[in-house]
Amino acid sequence: NRNMNNKTFSIVAGITFSVIAILHLLRIILRWEVMIGGLILPIWLSWLALVLAGYLAVSAYKFWTKD
């Protein structure tokens, strides 16, 4: 079956958003600079992205474990 069911999708989404959240947390802790088009992005953007990615990861996990 080539179609992804809801549980598989939520597992993939949960893992993806967890990795994104971890990378933003590492950026905050290690003070990594991110430059896009010559502009250094401020750390507060990683705080925002950490909260958003963390929320999406938890939401995907809740859907994944739902009966």
Short mmCIF file of all heavy atoms in Angstrom, two decimals:
data_model
loop_
_atom_site.label_atom_id
_atom_site.label_comp_id
_atom_site.label_asym_id
_atom_site.label_seq_id
_atom_site.Cartn_x
_atom_site.Cartn_y
_atom_site.Cartn_z
N ASN A 1 0.85 -1.18 0.00
CA ASN A 1 0.00 0.00 0.00
C ASN A 1 0.89 1.25 0.00
O ASN A 1 1.72 1.44 0.87
CB ASN A 1 -0.89 -0.03 1.23
CG ASN A 1 -1.92 1.07 1.24
OD1 ASN A 1 -1.97 1.91 0.34
ND2 ASN A 1 -2.75 1.07 2.25
N ARG A 2 0.72 2.11 -0.97
CA ARG A 2 1.56 3.29 -1.12
C ARG A 2 1.05 4.48 -0.32
O ARG A 2 1.75 5.46 -0.18
CB ARG A 2 1.67 3.67 -2.60
CG ARG A 2 2.34 2.56 -3.41
CD ARG A 2 2.47 2.97 -4.80
NE ARG A 2 3.63 3.85 -4.86
CZ ARG A 2 4.16 4.31 -5.97
NH1 ARG A 2 3.63 3.98 -7.11
NH2 ARG A 2 5.20 5.09 -5.95
N ASN A 3 -0.16 4.38 0.17
CA ASN A 3 -0.72 5.50 0.94
C ASN A 3 -0.27 5.42 2.39
O ASN A 3 -0.20 4.35 2.98
CB ASN A 3 -2.25 5.47 0.89
CG ASN A 3 -2.77 5.77 -0.49
OD1 ASN A 3 -2.15 6.50 -1.24
ND2 ASN A 3 -3.90 5.18 -0.84
N MET A 4 0.04 6.58 2.94
CA MET A 4 0.45 6.66 4.33
C MET A 4 -0.80 6.82 5.20
O MET A 4 -1.60 7.72 4.97
CB MET A 4 1.39 7.86 4.50
CG MET A 4 2.07 7.91 5.83
SD MET A 4 3.14 9.35 6.06
CE MET A 4 4.33 9.15 4.77
N ASN A 5 -0.94 5.93 6.19
CA ASN A 5 -2.10 6.08 7.06
C ASN A 5 -1.83 7.15 8.12
O ASN A 5 -0.72 7.66 8.25
CB ASN A 5 -2.51 4.74 7.67
CG ASN A 5 -1.46 4.16 8.60
OD1 ASN A 5 -0.68 4.88 9.20
ND2 ASN A 5 -1.45 2.85 8.71
N ASN A 6 -2.85 7.48 8.89
CA ASN A 6 -2.73 8.56 9.87
C ASN A 6 -1.69 8.28 10.95
O ASN A 6 -0.96 9.19 11.36
CB ASN A 6 -4.08 8.82 10.54
CG ASN A 6 -5.06 9.50 9.60
OD1 ASN A 6 -4.66 10.11 8.63
ND2 ASN A 6 -6.33 9.37 9.91
N LYS A 7 -1.60 7.04 11.39
CA LYS A 7 -0.64 6.71 12.44
C LYS A 7 0.79 6.86 11.92
O LYS A 7 1.65 7.43 12.60
CB LYS A 7 -0.88 5.29 12.95
CG LYS A 7 -0.05 4.96 14.14
CD LYS A 7 -0.49 3.67 14.78
CE LYS A 7 0.26 3.49 16.09
NZ LYS A 7 -0.31 2.45 16.91
N THR A 8 1.05 6.36 10.72
CA THR A 8 2.38 6.50 10.13
C THR A 8 2.74 7.96 9.93
O THR A 8 3.86 8.39 10.23
CB THR A 8 2.46 5.76 8.78
OG1 THR A 8 2.09 4.39 8.97
CG2 THR A 8 3.85 5.83 8.19
N PHE A 9 1.79 8.75 9.45
CA PHE A 9 2.03 10.17 9.26
C PHE A 9 2.36 10.85 10.58
O PHE A 9 3.29 11.65 10.65
CB PHE A 9 0.81 10.84 8.61
CG PHE A 9 0.98 12.33 8.49
CD1 PHE A 9 1.73 12.87 7.46
CD2 PHE A 9 0.42 13.19 9.42
CE1 PHE A 9 1.91 14.24 7.34
CE2 PHE A 9 0.59 14.56 9.33
CZ PHE A 9 1.34 15.08 8.28
N SER A 10 1.62 10.53 11.63
CA SER A 10 1.87 11.19 12.92
C SER A 10 3.21 10.76 13.51
O SER A 10 3.88 11.56 14.16
CB SER A 10 0.73 10.93 13.90
OG SER A 10 0.62 9.57 14.21
N ILE A 11 3.66 9.54 13.27
CA ILE A 11 4.98 9.09 13.72
C ILE A 11 6.06 9.89 13.00
O ILE A 11 6.98 10.42 13.63
CB ILE A 11 5.16 7.58 13.48
CG1 ILE A 11 4.26 6.78 14.41
CG2 ILE A 11 6.63 7.17 13.67
CD1 ILE A 11 4.18 5.30 14.08
N VAL A 12 5.95 9.99 11.68
CA VAL A 12 6.94 10.72 10.89
C VAL A 12 6.94 12.20 11.28
O VAL A 12 8.00 12.81 11.47
CB VAL A 12 6.68 10.54 9.38
CG1 VAL A 12 7.57 11.46 8.55
CG2 VAL A 12 6.90 9.09 8.98
N ALA A 13 5.77 12.78 11.43
CA ALA A 13 5.67 14.20 11.82
C ALA A 13 6.24 14.42 13.21
O ALA A 13 6.98 15.39 13.45
CB ALA A 13 4.22 14.66 11.76
N GLY A 14 5.93 13.53 14.15
CA GLY A 14 6.43 13.67 15.51
C GLY A 14 7.95 13.60 15.58
O GLY A 14 8.60 14.39 16.26
N ILE A 15 8.53 12.65 14.85
CA ILE A 15 9.99 12.53 14.81
C ILE A 15 10.61 13.76 14.16
O ILE A 15 11.60 14.31 14.65
CB ILE A 15 10.40 11.23 14.10
CG1 ILE A 15 10.02 10.02 14.96
CG2 ILE A 15 11.90 11.22 13.79
CD1 ILE A 15 10.14 8.69 14.24
N THR A 16 10.05 14.20 13.04
CA THR A 16 10.57 15.36 12.33
C THR A 16 10.55 16.61 13.20
O THR A 16 11.56 17.32 13.33
CB THR A 16 9.77 15.61 11.04
OG1 THR A 16 9.84 14.43 10.22
CG2 THR A 16 10.30 16.80 10.28
N PHE A 17 9.42 16.88 13.83
CA PHE A 17 9.32 18.08 14.68
C PHE A 17 10.18 17.96 15.94
O PHE A 17 10.68 18.97 16.43
CB PHE A 17 7.86 18.38 15.03
CG PHE A 17 7.09 18.94 13.87
CD1 PHE A 17 5.96 18.29 13.39
CD2 PHE A 17 7.49 20.10 13.25
CE1 PHE A 17 5.25 18.81 12.32
CE2 PHE A 17 6.78 20.63 12.17
CZ PHE A 17 5.66 19.97 11.71
N SER A 18 10.37 16.74 16.44
CA SER A 18 11.26 16.55 17.58
C SER A 18 12.70 16.88 17.21
O SER A 18 13.41 17.55 17.98
CB SER A 18 11.19 15.10 18.08
OG SER A 18 9.92 14.82 18.61
N VAL A 19 13.13 16.44 16.05
CA VAL A 19 14.50 16.74 15.59
C VAL A 19 14.67 18.25 15.40
O VAL A 19 15.69 18.83 15.80
CB VAL A 19 14.83 15.97 14.29
CG1 VAL A 19 16.11 16.47 13.65
CG2 VAL A 19 14.91 14.48 14.56
N ILE A 20 13.68 18.89 14.81
CA ILE A 20 13.74 20.34 14.62
C ILE A 20 13.83 21.06 15.97
O ILE A 20 14.63 21.98 16.14
CB ILE A 20 12.53 20.84 13.80
CG1 ILE A 20 12.64 20.33 12.36
CG2 ILE A 20 12.42 22.36 13.82
CD1 ILE A 20 11.39 20.51 11.53
N ALA A 21 13.02 20.63 16.93
CA ALA A 21 13.05 21.25 18.26
C ALA A 21 14.42 21.05 18.92
O ALA A 21 14.97 21.99 19.52
CB ALA A 21 11.94 20.66 19.13
N ILE A 22 14.98 19.86 18.80
CA ILE A 22 16.30 19.58 19.39
C ILE A 22 17.37 20.45 18.74
O ILE A 22 18.24 20.99 19.44
CB ILE A 22 16.63 18.08 19.26
CG1 ILE A 22 15.74 17.27 20.20
CG2 ILE A 22 18.11 17.82 19.55
CD1 ILE A 22 15.76 15.78 19.95
N LEU A 23 17.31 20.61 17.43
CA LEU A 23 18.30 21.46 16.76
C LEU A 23 18.19 22.92 17.20
O LEU A 23 19.21 23.59 17.40
CB LEU A 23 18.16 21.34 15.24
CG LEU A 23 18.62 20.02 14.65
CD1 LEU A 23 18.25 19.94 13.17
CD2 LEU A 23 20.11 19.83 14.85
N HIS A 24 16.98 23.41 17.39
CA HIS A 24 16.82 24.78 17.88
C HIS A 24 17.31 24.91 19.32
O HIS A 24 17.92 25.91 19.67
CB HIS A 24 15.37 25.25 17.76
CG HIS A 24 15.04 25.70 16.37
ND1 HIS A 24 15.51 26.88 15.85
CD2 HIS A 24 14.29 25.12 15.40
CE1 HIS A 24 15.06 27.01 14.61
NE2 HIS A 24 14.33 25.95 14.31
N LEU A 25 17.05 23.89 20.13
CA LEU A 25 17.56 23.92 21.50
C LEU A 25 19.09 23.92 21.51
O LEU A 25 19.71 24.67 22.27
CB LEU A 25 17.03 22.72 22.28
CG LEU A 25 17.43 22.63 23.75
CD1 LEU A 25 16.93 23.86 24.52
CD2 LEU A 25 16.88 21.36 24.36
N LEU A 26 19.70 23.13 20.65
CA LEU A 26 21.17 23.13 20.54
C LEU A 26 21.69 24.49 20.10
O LEU A 26 22.71 24.97 20.60
CB LEU A 26 21.63 22.04 19.58
CG LEU A 26 21.59 20.61 20.11
CD1 LEU A 26 21.89 19.62 18.99
CD2 LEU A 26 22.56 20.45 21.27
N ARG A 27 20.99 25.10 19.15
CA ARG A 27 21.40 26.44 18.71
C ARG A 27 21.37 27.44 19.86
O ARG A 27 22.27 28.26 20.02
CB ARG A 27 20.51 26.94 17.58
CG ARG A 27 20.91 28.35 17.16
CD ARG A 27 20.09 28.92 16.04
NE ARG A 27 20.67 30.22 15.70
CZ ARG A 27 19.99 31.34 15.64
NH1 ARG A 27 18.70 31.36 15.86
NH2 ARG A 27 20.60 32.48 15.35
N ILE A 28 20.34 27.35 20.69
CA ILE A 28 20.22 28.26 21.83
C ILE A 28 21.34 27.99 22.84
O ILE A 28 22.00 28.93 23.30
CB ILE A 28 18.83 28.09 22.49
CG1 ILE A 28 17.74 28.61 21.54
CG2 ILE A 28 18.78 28.81 23.83
CD1 ILE A 28 16.34 28.17 21.91
N ILE A 29 21.56 26.73 23.18
CA ILE A 29 22.56 26.39 24.19
C ILE A 29 23.98 26.69 23.71
O ILE A 29 24.78 27.26 24.45
CB ILE A 29 22.43 24.90 24.58
CG1 ILE A 29 21.11 24.67 25.33
CG2 ILE A 29 23.62 24.44 25.42
CD1 ILE A 29 20.78 23.21 25.54
N LEU A 30 24.27 26.30 22.46
CA LEU A 30 25.63 26.45 21.94
C LEU A 30 25.88 27.78 21.24
O LEU A 30 26.98 28.03 20.74
CB LEU A 30 25.95 25.29 20.99
CG LEU A 30 25.87 23.89 21.62
CD1 LEU A 30 26.06 22.82 20.56
CD2 LEU A 30 26.87 23.75 22.75
N ARG A 31 24.84 28.61 21.18
CA ARG A 31 24.94 29.96 20.58
C ARG A 31 25.41 29.91 19.12
O ARG A 31 26.23 30.72 18.68
CB ARG A 31 25.88 30.85 21.40
CG ARG A 31 25.57 30.95 22.88
CD ARG A 31 24.30 31.63 23.21
NE ARG A 31 24.37 33.05 22.83
CZ ARG A 31 23.32 33.86 22.84
NH1 ARG A 31 22.16 33.40 23.21
NH2 ARG A 31 23.45 35.10 22.49
N TRP A 32 24.89 28.93 18.37
CA TRP A 32 25.22 28.84 16.95
C TRP A 32 24.62 30.02 16.20
O TRP A 32 23.49 30.42 16.45
CB TRP A 32 24.66 27.56 16.33
CG TRP A 32 25.33 26.30 16.77
CD1 TRP A 32 26.56 26.16 17.32
CD2 TRP A 32 24.77 24.98 16.68
NE1 TRP A 32 26.82 24.84 17.58
CE2 TRP A 32 25.74 24.09 17.20
CE3 TRP A 32 23.57 24.48 16.23
CZ2 TRP A 32 25.53 22.73 17.25
CZ3 TRP A 32 23.37 23.11 16.28
CH2 TRP A 32 24.34 22.25 16.79
N GLU A 33 25.37 30.57 15.27
CA GLU A 33 24.85 31.63 14.42
C GLU A 33 24.26 31.01 13.15
O GLU A 33 24.83 30.07 12.60
CB GLU A 33 25.95 32.61 14.03
CG GLU A 33 26.36 33.52 15.16
CD GLU A 33 27.30 34.61 14.69
OE1 GLU A 33 27.78 34.56 13.54
OE2 GLU A 33 27.56 35.52 15.50
N VAL A 34 23.14 31.54 12.73
CA VAL A 34 22.52 31.12 11.47
C VAL A 34 22.46 32.35 10.59
O VAL A 34 21.94 33.40 11.00
CB VAL A 34 21.11 30.54 11.71
CG1 VAL A 34 20.42 30.26 10.39
CG2 VAL A 34 21.18 29.29 12.57
N MET A 35 23.00 32.21 9.39
CA MET A 35 23.03 33.34 8.46
C MET A 35 22.27 32.95 7.20
O MET A 35 22.53 31.91 6.59
CB MET A 35 24.47 33.72 8.11
CG MET A 35 24.57 34.96 7.25
SD MET A 35 26.27 35.41 6.87
CE MET A 35 26.85 35.92 8.46
N ILE A 36 21.34 33.80 6.82
CA ILE A 36 20.57 33.60 5.59
C ILE A 36 20.66 34.89 4.79
O ILE A 36 20.25 35.95 5.25
CB ILE A 36 19.09 33.25 5.88
CG1 ILE A 36 19.01 31.94 6.65
CG2 ILE A 36 18.30 33.17 4.59
CD1 ILE A 36 17.61 31.53 7.04
N GLY A 37 21.24 34.78 3.61
CA GLY A 37 21.38 35.94 2.74
C GLY A 37 22.16 37.08 3.37
O GLY A 37 21.82 38.24 3.16
N GLY A 38 23.18 36.75 4.16
CA GLY A 38 23.99 37.77 4.79
C GLY A 38 23.42 38.33 6.07
O GLY A 38 24.02 39.18 6.72
N LEU A 39 22.23 37.87 6.47
CA LEU A 39 21.58 38.34 7.68
C LEU A 39 21.69 37.27 8.77
O LEU A 39 21.30 36.12 8.54
CB LEU A 39 20.10 38.65 7.40
CG LEU A 39 19.25 39.09 8.57
CD1 LEU A 39 19.66 40.49 9.02
CD2 LEU A 39 17.79 39.08 8.17
N ILE A 40 22.22 37.63 9.92
CA ILE A 40 22.30 36.69 11.04
C ILE A 40 20.96 36.70 11.77
O ILE A 40 20.49 37.76 12.20
CB ILE A 40 23.45 37.05 11.99
CG1 ILE A 40 24.79 36.92 11.26
CG2 ILE A 40 23.41 36.17 13.23
CD1 ILE A 40 25.99 37.35 12.08
N LEU A 41 20.36 35.53 11.89
CA LEU A 41 19.06 35.43 12.56
C LEU A 41 19.24 35.50 14.08
O LEU A 41 20.12 34.86 14.63
CB LEU A 41 18.37 34.13 12.17
CG LEU A 41 18.08 33.95 10.68
CD1 LEU A 41 17.40 32.62 10.42
CD2 LEU A 41 17.20 35.09 10.18
N PRO A 42 18.39 36.25 14.75
CA PRO A 42 18.51 36.38 16.21
C PRO A 42 18.11 35.09 16.93
O PRO A 42 17.31 34.29 16.42
CB PRO A 42 17.55 37.51 16.56
CG PRO A 42 16.60 37.60 15.41
CD PRO A 42 17.32 37.09 14.21
N ILE A 43 18.65 34.91 18.12
CA ILE A 43 18.38 33.71 18.92
C ILE A 43 16.89 33.62 19.30
O ILE A 43 16.35 32.53 19.41
CB ILE A 43 19.27 33.69 20.18
CG1 ILE A 43 20.74 33.47 19.80
CG2 ILE A 43 18.84 32.64 21.18
CD1 ILE A 43 21.06 32.10 19.26
N TRP A 44 16.23 34.76 19.47
CA TRP A 44 14.83 34.70 19.88
C TRP A 44 13.97 33.97 18.86
O TRP A 44 12.94 33.39 19.22
CB TRP A 44 14.26 36.09 20.20
CG TRP A 44 14.13 37.04 19.05
CD1 TRP A 44 15.01 38.00 18.69
CD2 TRP A 44 13.04 37.11 18.12
NE1 TRP A 44 14.55 38.67 17.59
CE2 TRP A 44 13.33 38.14 17.22
CE3 TRP A 44 11.86 36.41 17.96
CZ2 TRP A 44 12.48 38.48 16.17
CZ3 TRP A 44 11.01 36.74 16.92
CH2 TRP A 44 11.33 37.77 16.04
N LEU A 45 14.40 33.95 17.60
CA LEU A 45 13.65 33.18 16.60
C LEU A 45 13.73 31.69 16.90
O LEU A 45 12.77 30.95 16.66
CB LEU A 45 14.17 33.46 15.19
CG LEU A 45 13.69 34.75 14.55
CD1 LEU A 45 14.35 34.94 13.18
CD2 LEU A 45 12.18 34.75 14.40
N SER A 46 14.87 31.24 17.42
CA SER A 46 14.99 29.83 17.79
C SER A 46 14.12 29.50 19.00
O SER A 46 13.61 28.38 19.11
CB SER A 46 16.44 29.45 18.06
OG SER A 46 17.11 29.23 16.84
N TRP A 47 13.98 30.45 19.93
CA TRP A 47 13.06 30.22 21.05
C TRP A 47 11.63 30.02 20.53
O TRP A 47 10.92 29.11 20.96
CB TRP A 47 13.09 31.38 22.04
CG TRP A 47 14.26 31.35 22.96
CD1 TRP A 47 15.36 32.15 22.93
CD2 TRP A 47 14.47 30.45 24.05
NE1 TRP A 47 16.23 31.81 23.93
CE2 TRP A 47 15.71 30.77 24.65
CE3 TRP A 47 13.71 29.41 24.60
CZ2 TRP A 47 16.22 30.09 25.74
CZ3 TRP A 47 14.22 28.73 25.70
CH2 TRP A 47 15.45 29.07 26.26
N LEU A 48 11.23 30.87 19.60
CA LEU A 48 9.90 30.76 19.01
C LEU A 48 9.74 29.44 18.26
O LEU A 48 8.73 28.73 18.43
CB LEU A 48 9.66 31.95 18.07
CG LEU A 48 8.31 32.03 17.40
CD1 LEU A 48 7.20 32.23 18.42
CD2 LEU A 48 8.30 33.17 16.40
N ALA A 49 10.74 29.08 17.46
CA ALA A 49 10.69 27.84 16.70
C ALA A 49 10.72 26.62 17.62
O ALA A 49 10.06 25.61 17.34
CB ALA A 49 11.86 27.79 15.71
N LEU A 50 11.46 26.71 18.73
CA LEU A 50 11.51 25.61 19.70
C LEU A 50 10.13 25.36 20.29
O LEU A 50 9.69 24.21 20.37
CB LEU A 50 12.52 25.94 20.80
CG LEU A 50 12.58 24.97 21.98
CD1 LEU A 50 13.04 23.60 21.55
CD2 LEU A 50 13.49 25.53 23.06
N VAL A 51 9.46 26.41 20.69
CA VAL A 51 8.11 26.26 21.26
C VAL A 51 7.14 25.69 20.23
O VAL A 51 6.39 24.75 20.51
CB VAL A 51 7.60 27.62 21.81
CG1 VAL A 51 6.14 27.54 22.19
CG2 VAL A 51 8.44 28.06 22.99
N LEU A 52 7.18 26.22 19.02
CA LEU A 52 6.28 25.75 17.97
C LEU A 52 6.56 24.30 17.59
O LEU A 52 5.64 23.47 17.53
CB LEU A 52 6.38 26.65 16.74
CG LEU A 52 5.49 26.29 15.57
CD1 LEU A 52 4.02 26.36 15.96
CD2 LEU A 52 5.76 27.21 14.39
N ALA A 53 7.82 23.97 17.34
CA ALA A 53 8.17 22.60 16.95
C ALA A 53 7.89 21.63 18.10
O ALA A 53 7.43 20.50 17.87
CB ALA A 53 9.64 22.53 16.53
N GLY A 54 8.14 22.06 19.32
CA GLY A 54 7.84 21.22 20.48
C GLY A 54 6.35 20.94 20.60
O GLY A 54 5.94 19.80 20.85
N TYR A 55 5.56 21.97 20.41
CA TYR A 55 4.10 21.79 20.46
C TYR A 55 3.63 20.82 19.37
O TYR A 55 2.81 19.93 19.63
CB TYR A 55 3.40 23.14 20.31
CG TYR A 55 1.91 23.01 20.12
CD1 TYR A 55 1.08 22.73 21.20
CD2 TYR A 55 1.33 23.14 18.86
CE1 TYR A 55 -0.29 22.58 21.03
CE2 TYR A 55 -0.03 23.00 18.67
CZ TYR A 55 -0.84 22.71 19.76
OH TYR A 55 -2.18 22.55 19.60
N LEU A 56 4.14 20.99 18.15
CA LEU A 56 3.73 20.12 17.05
C LEU A 56 4.20 18.68 17.28
O LEU A 56 3.47 17.73 16.95
CB LEU A 56 4.27 20.66 15.73
CG LEU A 56 3.63 21.97 15.26
CD1 LEU A 56 4.36 22.52 14.04
CD2 LEU A 56 2.15 21.78 14.97
N ALA A 57 5.38 18.50 17.87
CA ALA A 57 5.87 17.15 18.17
C ALA A 57 4.98 16.47 19.22
O ALA A 57 4.61 15.30 19.07
CB ALA A 57 7.31 17.21 18.65
N VAL A 58 4.63 17.21 20.26
CA VAL A 58 3.76 16.65 21.31
C VAL A 58 2.38 16.33 20.75
O VAL A 58 1.80 15.29 21.05
CB VAL A 58 3.68 17.61 22.52
CG1 VAL A 58 2.58 17.20 23.49
CG2 VAL A 58 5.02 17.68 23.22
N SER A 59 1.86 17.21 19.92
CA SER A 59 0.55 16.97 19.30
C SER A 59 0.57 15.72 18.43
O SER A 59 -0.36 14.91 18.46
CB SER A 59 0.12 18.17 18.46
OG SER A 59 -0.06 19.29 19.27
N ALA A 60 1.63 15.56 17.66
CA ALA A 60 1.76 14.37 16.80
C ALA A 60 1.88 13.12 17.66
O ALA A 60 1.28 12.08 17.35
CB ALA A 60 2.96 14.51 15.87
N TYR A 61 2.65 13.20 18.75
CA TYR A 61 2.80 12.06 19.65
C TYR A 61 1.45 11.68 20.27
O TYR A 61 1.12 10.50 20.35
CB TYR A 61 3.81 12.37 20.74
CG TYR A 61 3.93 11.25 21.75
CD1 TYR A 61 4.59 10.06 21.43
CD2 TYR A 61 3.36 11.37 23.01
CE1 TYR A 61 4.67 9.03 22.34
CE2 TYR A 61 3.44 10.34 23.92
CZ TYR A 61 4.10 9.17 23.60
OH TYR A 61 4.17 8.15 24.50
N LYS A 62 0.66 12.67 20.70
CA LYS A 62 -0.66 12.39 21.27
C LYS A 62 -1.56 11.71 20.25
O LYS A 62 -2.29 10.77 20.58
CB LYS A 62 -1.31 13.67 21.78
CG LYS A 62 -0.73 14.17 23.07
CD LYS A 62 -1.45 15.42 23.53
CE LYS A 62 -0.88 15.94 24.83
NZ LYS A 62 -1.57 17.16 25.26
N PHE A 63 -1.51 12.17 19.00
CA PHE A 63 -2.34 11.55 17.96
C PHE A 63 -1.85 10.14 17.67
O PHE A 63 -2.64 9.23 17.44
CB PHE A 63 -2.28 12.40 16.68
CG PHE A 63 -3.24 11.92 15.63
CD1 PHE A 63 -4.59 12.21 15.70
CD2 PHE A 63 -2.79 11.15 14.57
CE1 PHE A 63 -5.47 11.76 14.76
CE2 PHE A 63 -3.67 10.69 13.60
CZ PHE A 63 -5.01 11.00 13.71
N TRP A 64 -0.54 9.93 17.71
CA TRP A 64 0.07 8.64 17.44
C TRP A 64 -0.34 7.61 18.48
O TRP A 64 -0.61 6.46 18.17
CB TRP A 64 1.57 8.84 17.39
CG TRP A 64 2.46 7.62 17.38
CD1 TRP A 64 2.12 6.35 17.03
CD2 TRP A 64 3.84 7.57 17.71
NE1 TRP A 64 3.21 5.52 17.13
CE2 TRP A 64 4.28 6.26 17.55
CE3 TRP A 64 4.75 8.54 18.11
CZ2 TRP A 64 5.59 5.87 17.77
CZ3 TRP A 64 6.05 8.14 18.34
CH2 TRP A 64 6.46 6.84 18.16
N THR A 65 -0.41 8.03 19.74
CA THR A 65 -0.73 7.08 20.82
C THR A 65 -2.23 6.99 21.08
O THR A 65 -2.65 6.20 21.93
CB THR A 65 -0.01 7.48 22.11
OG1 THR A 65 -0.39 8.80 22.48
CG2 THR A 65 1.50 7.40 21.94
N LYS A 66 -3.02 7.76 20.36
CA LYS A 66 -4.49 7.75 20.53
C LYS A 66 -5.04 6.41 20.04
O LYS A 66 -4.59 5.87 19.04
CB LYS A 66 -5.10 8.91 19.75
CG LYS A 66 -6.55 9.12 19.98
CD LYS A 66 -7.00 10.42 19.38
CE LYS A 66 -7.37 10.22 17.93
NZ LYS A 66 -8.01 11.39 17.35
N ASP A 67 -6.01 5.90 20.75
CA ASP A 67 -6.64 4.61 20.35
C ASP A 67 -7.36 4.69 19.07
O ASP A 67 -8.03 5.35 18.58
CB ASP A 67 -7.57 4.13 21.44
CG ASP A 67 -6.79 3.68 22.66
OD1 ASP A 67 -5.67 3.18 22.51
OD2 ASP A 67 -7.35 3.82 23.74
#
